[in-house]
Amino acid sequence: MISGGKSYVAAAPAFSNDAKRLLLCAGSSVAVFSTSTGLQISSLEGHTAAVTSVVVVPASSPAGKVLCFCWTASLDGTIRYWDFSVPELMKTIEIKMPIHSMVIPSILDQAAKGEEKKSNVFAYISVEDTNMEEGRAKYLRGQIRKCNLTESRLDGGNILGKTQSPEFITISPSGKFFGIRNKRKLHIWKVPAKDSERFGIKKISLHHTKKLTILAFHPTERIVAAGDLTGRILIWRDFGSQTFATSEKSASGRLIDNEGKKPGVRGDDEADVCSTWHWHSTEVNVLSFSSDGAYLYSGGREGVLVVWQLDTGKKKFLPRIGSPLLYFTDSPDPSISSISCADNRVHILKMPSMEILKSISGIKLPFSFPEINEGPCSKFAFDQSAGLVALRTENYCIQFFNLFDDREMSEVQVCERNHQPGDEVTVVVTAVALSLDGSVMCTAEVKLPEDGIGALVCLKFWESESLNKNFSLSTVIYEPHRDAGISTVVFHPRRRMAVSSSYGRDFKLWISNDEILQNREALQNSGWMCHSVGSYKKKPMTAAAFSADGSVLAVAAETVITLWDPENNVLVAVLGEIETPITSLSFAGKSDCLISVSQGSKPQLSVWSMSKLSVSWSYKLQVEDIACAVDLSMFAVLVLLPKSSSVMESNGRTFQERDGLILLFNTTDPVPVATWSVRKAKGGGLGFIRGNRPSLEQNVSDGEPSDSLLVYINGDHEYVVFDPHGEKVRVLSLTRRKELVALEDTEHFGYSSIYGELPEFELKKTNQNLLAPSVPSGRPWETIFSGSSHNLPPLTKLCSAFLESLLERRTPTVE
Amino acid sequence: MADHQLSKTFPVKPKLKPKPRTQKQTPESKYWSSFKTQQIPNVISSITSLAFSPNPPFPFAAAHSASLTLFSSQTFSPTATISSFSDVVSSASFRCDGLLLAAADLSGLVQVFDVKTRTPLRKLRSHTRPARFVKYPIADKLHLISGGDDALVKYWDVAGETVISEMPGHKDYVRCGDCSPVSSEMFATGSYDHTVKLWDVRVTDLRRLAIEVNHGSPVEDVIFLPSGGLIATAGGNSVKIWDLIGGGKMMCSMESHNKTVTSLCVGMMAKDTGEASRQYRILSAGLDGYMKVFDYSKMKVTHSMRFPAPLMSVAFSPDCATRVIGTSNGIIYAGRRKSKESKEEERRELGGFSSLGATEDEPRRRALKPSYFRYFQRGQGEKPSERDYLVTRTKGVKLAEHDKLLKKFRHKQALVSVLRCKNPANVVAVMEELVSRKKLLKCVENLDLEELGALLAFLHKYSTVPAYSALLIGLTKKVVEMRAEDIGASDELKSHVRNLKRSVEEEIRIQQSLQEIQGIISPLLRLAGRR
């Protein structure tokens, strides 16, 4: 079983200490990516629910940069401690409450002081209180608590704050303050010094008139910035100068003598000045100070990263990121940072110039389409042989996602239009279809009219020469069925032929020119053209399907099924009547069965026998999607469970949150061969793909190679690939070649980026240490003696290094 | 994983236009349409015959009414006129050295002129009825062939003004003839008795007939193809090609003219690359006004050209640079092609004028030293050689003014600026983009009176154009509804609306008549489909 398609942008990512790795929360695991290649290195598996925060233990000394430890908190109520270079779980702390956010101030503090002494590590966590009984009107579910990580216990009874829902905790880079936003207020706590632990933790609140969305602390000064719903950015300077004064006398050198005039500060908030900047038109989602505190980064729905010079308020922009921004993360290396976008993509930025170095693209997340058609559009198209899924994205693209490798293959821009993230969606790709060999793609797009004018339906055929799915546009057909929308596009299984059915009461067969003129001469003029048009009693055509050998075309004319000879465009037969319009048709592989699905008030799944031209059997099921294997007589349906049944389900445990079922049928038998219950089935999809790919080294236990695997993609675009023929879901040993890409240290930064590598091999040694876990360096003496002789270090130094290189190296032990 | 850069900007583009299924311009049709046609007026009555001199600079003679005019093939200006004819001139032919010109007229007289002095040197009088054609054999300077309405073909000794042999055999008017390009003793004549006869004066038999083929309709013209083994005949609305070596077998027949084909000539496709690539075509001209180019190796009509008058004669210069076509109403359509050499010549001439006294050789190149500024620019203007691998610079997206305005969300200004540009496809593209941003109606609402006038003028002009009408008709309606008060207040806008109304009415009329036609046609189609 292969699972993937996780969202990388559900929580803020974190950089490792050397900024060569990026830790992304991907569902219940943490994926570790290399920042130089943008490929996944490893993943930390162990949590049972979504991971909500990752905190990398910072290095206290330059030598400590190789340390790869991190804390993760998850909704399953545990905090875990990992060595992510190996990767290995080192410690688990049970909290028993879903953790929504976690900060660990003391490790930041420790890093600053460079303390070696091991002291208690405290974390502040934002948890959701699930113990309280539901039903109360004023129910504060969110709690801020303190937790001793060294002793693995919650600081008893000490609830710092309560909010309506669990909030995201923001910590200052110096580790002295942390805060949350609560509606129109900011709550800021001061982290107590180690010796003053028994005192209560001090807290101030700052007020605003709009709902706040995000806050950020200045790295050195006492400045806090917050963004609100209307796009304003507020900056309070010298907050809490009285409450926090006791321990922090030096910082508040300027005593509060001007109590009367505190410009911009509301009420008796403890801050000197509050200034407001306004550029964003909608809410601010990203707010972060640069590590030297001179700049403030902000971003929001517009997909523009704005850099504010803190003293002057001057702006610089990184425009056209193409998607709303969610997080901005600084790395210990000042030249690298990352931004996470809402389209499940993480860009790694080269900092002062703000160029995108690499992009880590996850599967595109679902987005809301405006309702156009009553029937379901084809949400996913599967390339059976290559194991790809084609998804529609919000910015008028088709993303090809490799299901086996869990990464993006390519993206095809279907509609050449500038996408503005905040805008209302008016151009929608409604259908996508792939031919059986995956070389031709067909897309249909709809432009919605403004007040009745300017609607446009457009059918496009794309062809790709190579395996990497770089599709190029072959033919554009404007208004293929006059102004009517297209319900389905299906390709012929053998020939270069396609059928598009429309609600405009007809269907059209399209044929590629190359098929007509076989000579290569005319190829430059190749394209798709209409071969024939058919209609039945002026009824809207709602679905279409070709039989496995392509000799029969079935088109659903609302409630009846018409069978056609696609070559000669002759109506062959008409199959009986169903009560509600048919939304989907498909032939079940090799068998002579046609499966029709209708939705609505009286949903129905019927299997028709082609030899008898009658219904074999049918069910009254709300079918979300259907998949037929090409070479089997099996088909699988994804069924939505009706609300009533899940409520009256006695053992609520098994069906908790599970709203769908996958049923695998044999066409001859109305009793399902196998069933699986799934979550988030609404908006999900099913598909068969061929499993025996040469690059996928799978070893199935019983030796016989499984032909086709079933893919289930849920409503959040997370997917599972499994073998439907096993008695239970057999776990395919997951030898997805994890691209254990060695971290190549080609990038220099800091001193070495300016002056080159230091000649001492002390640094070299640490580099080798760094490489040690992944790649045992083969013949290190070559590197020792490389270079001209007058540049080499003295022989006495070289000798020890040479001997050392000959000896077997023990794995470095780090305490 | 593809390196993802920032999302690109796409300029607003108009919808694609459908490409024609067949290529619009084959290289062949490109060649034939490269003859820039111009009219030579002031010639009275029908041009019965056109003949090119075989020698450079290839002047040509046009026979019209009772005179013969010589034209320069470079400038198409008449250089000389011979008018010592008593009747309509029917045919003219140059001798192989281009010094003499033979002409026949309807009085039956055949005359030989000196081209330079235009004096008649010989008068060959033997035809009792109108003489219809006269021809010099290819390499023979002493003899002439002529034929006429007396159904006789005559072989003349020019110097002695005597008929060497008289060939009877045709049963009707002899209208045309041609001499073989390979032998000066063989010639073919075509007659209204539907036959083409091939004569050989060496045959001792009195009738001297070699081969006879039947075209099937009165033969208007006959030519030898350059190989000498084939002849092409024109008669009725067909052109037929016959294999003489194969004993007079018909090779193919081209029937793409709608009316009688009056004249044929051999055309050449001269590629600039060399002599070897010369390809021969048959040019045929017909009374239907079409000039067609026939590729007889592929048996295909490769180009056709329409002229506004019935065509009587066609000729093609031996250097492939000039093509002349004579019509029945006295206009000569002469076309000249610019070949590479002529261009070069022109340039040389120009260069000669500009650098009158300058030295011919190139200015001496100074060696570049680092003290010169040009030293640092050396090699920058270097052209890539043929085998160099070119690393192309990625082209930036070109943004028009309306694109820039759209990028800044200044929608109304974008609409106004594109309306000013006068490209209707772009205007519609911008409107479509505004529709998908749901801003078009807002823009219309905010236009001031002058801009509204521009919009109305645009709508008046293009709202009935089929390519744009889907959007524009709806928009027109909305505009008139939304801005009714403003329009009512301004006289200028009122006049725009009046224009608009007129074009709408006209469109409705067109639609109605189209529907009428459809009503007439559809039963016919249905009947045809039933059969």
Side-chain angles (χ1 to χ4, degrees):
Chain A
M1 191 169 80
I2 299 169
S3 63
K6 304 286 191 239
S7 164
Y8 294 139
V9 294
F15 278 99
S16 69
N17 284 323
D18 53 2
K20 284 180 179 149
R21 277 172 261 197
L22 182 65
L23 283 76
L24 298 174
C25 304
S28 61
S29 65
V30 175
V32 184
F33 281 84
S34 159
T35 55
S36 51
T37 59
L39 298 176
Q40 190 171 2
I41 300 168
S42 59
S43 81
L44 313 178
E45 316 256 353
H47 282 291
T48 53
V51 179
T52 51
S53 40
V54 184
V55 181
V56 175
V57 178
S60 49
S61 63
K65 279 200 170 175
V66 288
L67 298 183
C68 299
F69 297 104
C70 68
W71 293 92
T72 58
S74 157
L75 289 180
D76 61 358
T78 57
I79 297 172
R80 292 176 195 233
Y81 188 52
W82 307 82
D83 181 349
F84 60 84
S85 64
V86 180
E88 191 180 21
L89 178 62
M90 301 182 66
K91 191 172 175 184
T92 308
I93 300 163
E94 291 276 345
I95 302 294
K96 298 199 181 66
M97 280 187 280
I99 306 167
H100 284 267
S101 178
M102 172 179 75
V103 292
I104 307 174
S106 53
I107 52 174
L108 292 170
D109 203 19
Q110 192 183 31
K113 285 177 194 162
E115 246 175 64
E116 289 300 306
K117 191 192 74 170
K118 193 81 182 161
S119 59
N120 284 355
V121 177
F122 289 99
Y124 296 89
I125 54 178
S126 161
V127 294
E128 185 178 352
D129 190 0
T130 50
N131 300 333
M132 256 187 245
E133 68 275 17
E134 288 180 41
R136 275 169 50 189
K138 279 270 191 179
Y139 179 56
L140 301 177
R141 298 172 68 89
Q143 294 181 346
I144 308 292
R145 280 165 175 266
K146 186 177 175 187
C147 170
N148 189 332
L149 293 178
T150 320
E151 294 166 17
S152 315
R153 61 178 174 81
L154 221 55
D155 256 18
N158 196 354
I159 297 171
L160 296 173
K162 280 188 177 182
T163 51
Q164 202 142 28
S165 57
E167 289 294 344
F168 181 76
I169 312 179
T170 313
I171 189 166
S172 74
S174 59
K176 285 177 187 139
F177 306 101
F178 65 93
I180 59 165
R181 55 163 194 92
N182 183 10
K183 290 179 195 163
R184 299 175 182 176
K185 290 190 288 265
L186 289 185
H187 299 299
I188 298 171
W189 288 270
K190 178 167 163 43
V191 177
K194 278 189 196 70
D195 45 354
S196 61
E197 231 153 80
R198 50 200 157 287
F199 302 132
I201 301 173
K202 286 175 180 165
K203 168 190 167 186
I204 62 160
S205 296
L206 298 168
H207 296 80
H208 182 47
T209 52
K210 300 272 167 18
K211 192 165 180 262
L212 295 164
T213 52
I214 183 88
L215 76 156
F217 289 96
H218 193 276
T220 50
E221 292 170 56
R222 271 207 275 179
I223 298 176
V224 63
D228 73 2
L229 265 182
T230 59
R232 289 184 176 80
I233 297 168
L234 299 117
I235 296 164
W236 286 276
R237 288 166 195 267
D238 275 338
F239 59 87
S241 40
Q242 282 175 326
T243 316
F244 301 155
T246 47
S247 60
E248 196 66 43
K249 281 193 185 91
S250 55
S252 59
R254 196 153 48 96
L255 277 169
I256 320 104
D257 49 353
N258 48 353
E259 280 179 23
K261 35 180 178 174
K262 292 193 284 182
V265 180
R266 205 159 290 281
D268 49 357
D269 285 354
E270 276 190 59
D272 274 6
V273 187
C274 176
S275 51
T276 306
W277 289 337
H278 197 173
W279 182 86
H280 295 280
S281 56
T282 51
E283 61 182 295
V284 183
N285 286 332
V286 171
L287 210 53
S288 172
F289 283 96
S290 67
S291 54
D292 59 352
Y295 297 98
L296 176 69
Y297 302 105
S298 72
R301 274 214 345 193
E302 312 88 348
V304 179
L305 185 69
V306 186
V307 186
W308 305 83
Q309 198 174 21
L310 201 59
D311 294 335
T312 60
K314 279 184 184 161
K315 299 181 288 282
K316 237 174 77 181
F317 302 99
L318 175 64
R320 301 209 300 278
I321 297 169
S323 186
L325 306 183
L326 294 179
Y327 308 104
F328 178 90
T329 314
D330 259 330
S331 75
D333 177 358
S335 69
I336 290 181
S337 56
S338 79
I339 41 174
S340 307
C341 301
D343 62 351
N344 205 1
R345 190 173 253 175
V346 179
H347 298 290
I348 296 166
L349 295 182
K350 188 174 153 93
M351 216 35 225
S353 57
M354 297 204 289
E355 288 166 37
I356 291 182
L357 287 177
K358 287 282 171 211
S359 296
I360 298 164
S361 308
I363 201 161
K364 287 285 188 275
L365 299 178
F367 60 100
S368 62
F369 290 108
E371 280 303 314
I372 304 169
N373 306 327
E374 55 273 20
C377 350
S378 54
K379 285 162 292 201
F380 311 102
F382 293 92
D383 184 350
Q384 307 209 336
S385 46
L388 299 176
V389 61
L391 308 135
R392 302 170 293 153
T393 70
E394 197 169 8
N395 53 349
Y396 330 118
C397 289
I398 298 289
Q399 184 193 33
F400 283 89
F401 198 82
N402 192 324
L403 294 169
F404 292 114
D405 294 342
D406 190 13
R407 62 164 140 121
E408 184 189 273
M409 281 280 288
S410 63
E411 218 178 57
V412 179
Q413 184 83 35
V414 172
C415 175
E416 292 209 334
R417 187 164 178 264
N418 299 320
H419 173 65
Q420 193 58 35
D423 275 0
E424 196 181 338
V425 178
T426 54
V427 179
V428 188
V429 180
T430 53
V432 53
L434 281 171
S435 68
L436 204 62
D437 58 348
S439 66
V440 189
M441 176 172 74
C442 181
T443 59
E445 66 194 53
V446 172
K447 197 160 129 195
L448 299 179
E450 181 194 10
D451 212 355
I453 58 171
L456 182 69
V457 183
C458 193
L459 190 70
K460 288 179 179 173
F461 286 94
W462 307 77
E463 313 220 353
S464 87
E465 295 286 313
S466 52
L467 274 175
N468 56 3
K469 303 289 166 210
N470 285 329
F471 280 95
S472 58
L473 186 60
S474 158
T475 310
V476 185
I477 300 143
Y478 296 110
E479 310 206 316
H481 300 276
R482 293 176 302 281
D483 53 348
I486 292 169
S487 53
T488 342
V489 185
V490 185
F491 276 98
H492 193 279
R494 305 248 168 102
R495 292 178 48 191
R496 290 168 69 81
M497 189 190 241
V499 62
S500 68
S501 63
S502 88
Y503 299 109
R505 301 189 287 275
D506 61 350
F507 70 89
K508 286 189 180 179
L509 277 166
W510 307 93
I511 197 160
S512 170
N513 257 353
D514 325 355
E515 174 125 324
I516 303 164
L517 3 132
Q518 290 289 342
N519 53 342
R520 307 290 295 174
E521 278 175 34
L523 254 186
Q524 74 260 26
N525 204 9
S526 81
W528 290 71
M529 53 178 230
C530 187
H531 177 243
S532 57
V533 186
S535 66
Y536 180 75
K537 289 190 176 172
K538 304 225 160 147
K539 282 184 180 172
M541 299 293 188
T542 49
F546 278 107
S547 68
D549 57 350
S551 60
V552 180
L553 168 68
V555 184
E558 238 172 3
T559 53
V560 296
I561 301 171
T562 56
L563 300 178
W564 301 75
D565 176 5
E567 292 298 322
N568 309 318
N569 198 28
V570 176
L571 182 64
V572 179
V574 179
L575 294 187
E577 191 115 14
I578 300 176
E579 286 177 36
T580 45
I582 295 167
T583 54
S584 166
L585 275 181
S586 48
F587 279 92
K590 285 267 156 60
S591 68
D592 61 343
C593 281
L594 177 68
I595 303 142
S596 73
V597 171
S598 55
Q599 293 179 335
S601 54
K602 286 179 180 167
Q604 192 169 348
L605 168 77
S606 330
V607 176
W608 305 76
S609 163
M610 282 292 100
S611 49
K612 294 178 205 146
L613 294 178
S614 64
V615 182
S616 307
W617 49 272
S618 74
Y619 273 113
K620 197 173 166 187
L621 286 173
Q622 184 76 41
V623 175
E624 180 73 13
D625 198 10
I626 181 163
C628 296
V630 182
D631 40 6
L632 296 168
S633 57
M634 303 274 216
F635 66 95
V637 288
L638 176 63
V639 178
L640 289 183
L641 291 178
K643 291 246 165 51
S644 54
S645 77
S646 58
V647 167
M648 72 184 185
E649 197 69 51
S650 55
N651 47 351
R653 192 64 211 161
T654 51
F655 275 90
Q656 189 191 25
E657 293 176 358
R658 301 193 172 220
D659 56 351
L661 276 179
I662 299 174
L663 306 173
L664 184 69
F665 286 104
N666 207 327
T667 48
T668 51
D669 191 6
V671 180
V673 179
T675 52
W676 299 270
S677 70
V678 291
R679 287 197 189 91
K680 293 180 201 155
K682 185 85 189 144
L686 275 182
F688 277 98
I689 56 173
R690 210 152 299 145
N692 44 2
R693 241 174 28 133
S695 57
L696 177 81
E697 298 131 34
Q698 55 166 9
N699 39 357
V700 186
S701 53
D702 53 358
E704 158 238 313
S706 65
D707 286 325
S708 43
L709 303 174
L710 191 61
V711 186
Y712 164 63
I713 299 186
N714 74 7
D716 287 349
H717 288 190
E718 295 170 341
Y719 65 84
V720 175
V721 183
F722 59 95
D723 181 10
H725 306 299
E727 295 79 39
K728 55 186 189 316
V729 173
R730 193 193 297 130
V731 177
L732 295 168
S733 67
L734 202 153
T735 47
R736 187 176 79 205
R737 294 160 305 142
K738 282 236 165 153
E739 279 89 31
L740 266 165
V741 190
L743 284 171
E744 60 244 53
D745 44 349
T746 49
E747 309 259 335
H748 304 296
F749 55 87
Y751 178 85
S752 58
S753 65
I754 306 168
Y755 299 107
E757 204 81 27
L758 286 173
E760 282 109 2
F761 48 84
E762 237 73 52
L763 184 70
K764 220 175 251 172
K765 207 167 89 184
T766 58
N767 275 347
Q768 281 164 11
N769 267 350
L770 169 73
L771 285 173
S774 46
V775 179
S777 45
R779 294 187 294 181
W781 55 86
E782 287 183 349
T783 59
I784 295 175
F785 295 118
S786 67
S788 53
S789 59
H790 64 271
N791 274 344
L792 284 178
L795 211 60
T796 48
K797 272 192 167 181
L798 272 179
C799 181
S800 62
F802 177 60
L803 286 176
E804 196 184 0
S805 73
L806 291 181
L807 297 174
E808 195 178 335
R809 187 187 303 282
R810 235 193 258 163
T811 46
T813 51
V814 186
E815 43 278 314
Chain B
M1 185 180 292
D3 270 24
H4 183 80
Q5 288 307 312
L6 291 177
S7 53
K8 293 177 233 156
T9 34
F10 300 106
V12 172
K13 265 184 267 177
K15 277 192 220 168
L16 300 174
K17 289 204 182 85
K19 262 191 291 182
R21 299 286 317 285
T22 50
Q23 231 168 6
K24 205 174 177 185
Q25 273 213 325
T26 56
E28 177 119 9
S29 66
K30 204 173 164 189
Y31 173 83
W32 291 111
S33 47
S34 72
F35 288 90
K36 296 276 167 288
T37 311
Q38 64 186 81
Q39 293 184 17
I40 304 176
N42 302 332
V43 183
I44 316 140
S45 88
S46 153
I47 316 295
T48 49
S49 169
L50 287 165
F52 268 97
S53 159
N55 276 15
F58 310 109
F60 63 90
H64 58 94
S65 145
S67 58
L68 193 61
T69 310
L70 288 169
F71 290 92
S72 151
S73 68
Q74 266 71 35
T75 58
F76 300 130
S77 54
T79 52
T81 306
I82 302 167
S83 44
S84 57
F85 297 100
S86 55
D87 207 337
V88 174
V89 183
S90 58
S91 171
S93 172
F94 278 95
R95 200 169 76 171
C96 59
D97 53 4
L99 297 175
L100 297 186
L101 176 66
D105 63 28
L106 294 192
S107 65
L109 182 67
V110 175
Q111 301 182 66
V112 177
F113 298 94
D114 183 352
V115 173
K116 287 237 175 74
T117 59
R118 310 197 298 275
T119 47
L121 302 177
R122 292 289 185 274
K123 292 192 184 225
L124 312 178
R125 203 181 296 273
S126 166
H127 282 291
T128 52
R129 304 286 299 275
R132 286 293 182 172
F133 91 94
V134 62
K135 205 92 186 172
Y136 264 107
I138 289 300
D140 192 351
K141 292 184 178 174
L142 305 173
H143 300 99
L144 262 181
I145 296 290
S146 72
D149 285 358
D150 49 4
L152 291 174
V153 178
K154 299 191 180 189
Y155 188 60
W156 297 84
D157 174 29
V158 178
E161 293 188 349
T162 53
V163 178
I164 295 174
S165 61
E166 204 174 68
M167 286 155 276
H170 281 299
K171 297 189 188 72
D172 206 337
Y173 303 158
V174 177
R175 280 297 167 106
C176 53
D178 195 16
C179 300
S180 162
V182 288
S183 147
S184 44
E185 283 93 14
M186 282 177 66
F187 42 87
T189 56
S191 150
Y192 272 14
D193 62 357
H194 301 192
T195 60
V196 172
K197 291 186 201 282
L198 186 73
W199 311 94
D200 191 339
V201 289
R202 291 165 297 185
V203 177
T204 48
D205 170 27
L206 216 69
R207 288 176 58 224
R208 299 175 197 277
L209 181 65
I211 294 174
E212 178 184 325
V213 295
N214 193 340
H215 182 88
S217 49
V219 180
E220 292 285 351
D221 202 359
V222 58
I223 53 165
F224 271 95
L225 296 182
S227 65
L230 301 176
I231 57 167
T233 58
N237 49 12
S238 66
V239 175
K240 292 181 178 175
I241 295 173
W242 309 86
D243 185 3
L244 295 182
I245 296 165
K249 199 174 65 180
M250 188 175 82
M251 281 178 62
C252 68
S253 160
M254 173 195 80
E255 287 168 12
S256 63
H257 280 281
N258 293 328
K259 287 187 184 171
T260 306
V261 184
T262 51
S263 179
L264 294 175
C265 81
V266 175
M268 271 172 287
M269 288 270 292
K271 302 263 169 63
D272 297 322
T273 44
E275 290 290 301
S277 59
R278 281 201 165 184
Q279 288 172 316
Y280 294 101
R281 301 282 185 271
I282 297 172
L283 308 187
S284 62
L287 289 179
D288 53 357
Y290 275 98
M291 192 279 293
K292 304 222 174 201
V293 179
F294 185 67
D295 182 355
Y296 58 89
S297 59
K298 287 186 191 141
M299 317 275 175
K300 216 163 78 179
V301 175
T302 53
H303 185 66
S304 96
M305 220 169 184
R306 173 90 211 262
F307 292 92
L311 307 183
M312 296 304 292
S313 50
V314 61
F316 196 77
S317 80
D319 66 344
C320 312
T322 317
R323 182 208 59 205
V324 287
I325 293 167
T327 63
S328 66
N329 57 7
I331 295 171
I332 298 175
Y333 292 98
R336 185 157 177 80
R337 191 171 69 94
K338 264 200 174 167
S339 66
K340 235 179 200 171
E341 295 106 55
S342 67
K343 270 183 215 162
E344 258 165 36
E345 263 168 35
E346 228 164 70
R347 205 178 310 134
R348 208 169 301 145
E349 271 171 26
L350 281 177
F353 284 127
S354 63
S355 60
L356 272 173
T359 48
E360 289 273 303
D361 54 350
E362 285 179 18
R364 194 169 48 85
R365 294 187 73 100
R366 279 177 297 177
L368 289 173
K369 286 183 209 149
S371 54
Y372 296 150
F373 177 64
R374 270 175 52 208
Y375 174 83
F376 297 99
Q377 294 183 322
R378 68 194 190 282
Q380 285 183 6
E382 197 72 21
K383 292 268 160 53
S385 73
E386 222 165 82
R387 280 176 301 163
D388 283 351
Y389 179 74
L390 276 178
V391 181
T392 47
R393 191 174 294 162
T394 50
K395 270 185 198 158
V397 183
K398 223 177 198 177
L399 290 182
E401 197 193 341
H402 54 260
D403 285 318
K404 285 176 193 155
L405 290 168
L406 281 175
K407 241 172 95 179
K408 292 176 188 157
F409 306 99
R410 291 163 64 183
H411 298 126
K412 194 193 89 172
Q413 279 99 321
L415 182 63
V416 171
S417 94
V418 78
L419 275 173
R420 222 175 285 136
C421 285
K422 307 272 187 233
N423 184 349
N426 279 348
V427 177
V428 173
V430 168
M431 283 177 176
E432 278 169 352
E433 174 63 26
L434 289 175
V435 163
S436 57
R437 294 187 186 192
K438 294 213 185 292
K439 292 287 188 298
L440 180 60
L441 296 185
K442 193 137 229 174
C443 286
V444 169
E445 213 170 338
N446 293 339
L447 290 175
D448 64 27
L449 288 184
E450 197 178 318
E451 292 156 352
L452 186 62
L455 179 65
L456 283 174
F458 173 80
L459 290 176
H460 154 61
K461 209 164 169 189
Y462 294 106
S463 61
T464 53
V465 175
Y468 314 127
S469 61
L471 172 68
L472 293 186
I473 287 178
L475 178 66
T476 311
K477 215 169 144 191
K478 289 268 178 221
V479 170
V480 173
E481 267 172 27
M482 285 166 64
R483 305 296 299 260
E485 287 158 28
D486 295 317
I487 292 168
S490 158
D491 283 339
E492 201 181 327
L493 293 182
K494 264 188 209 159
S495 76
H496 279 302
V497 171
R498 233 173 286 131
N499 290 340
L500 197 62
K501 206 172 157 188
R502 209 178 315 123
S503 68
V504 167
E505 274 163 6
E506 190 180 343
E507 181 64 24
I508 288 172
R509 261 203 309 282
I510 291 170
Q511 293 290 341
Q512 264 172 350
S513 57
L514 282 177
Q515 272 176 340
E516 279 167 21
I517 293 170
Q518 196 181 13
I520 296 165
I521 289 176
S522 62
L524 297 178
L525 283 178
R526 188 148 296 180
L527 275 179
R530 206 173 286 164
R531 207 162 284 158

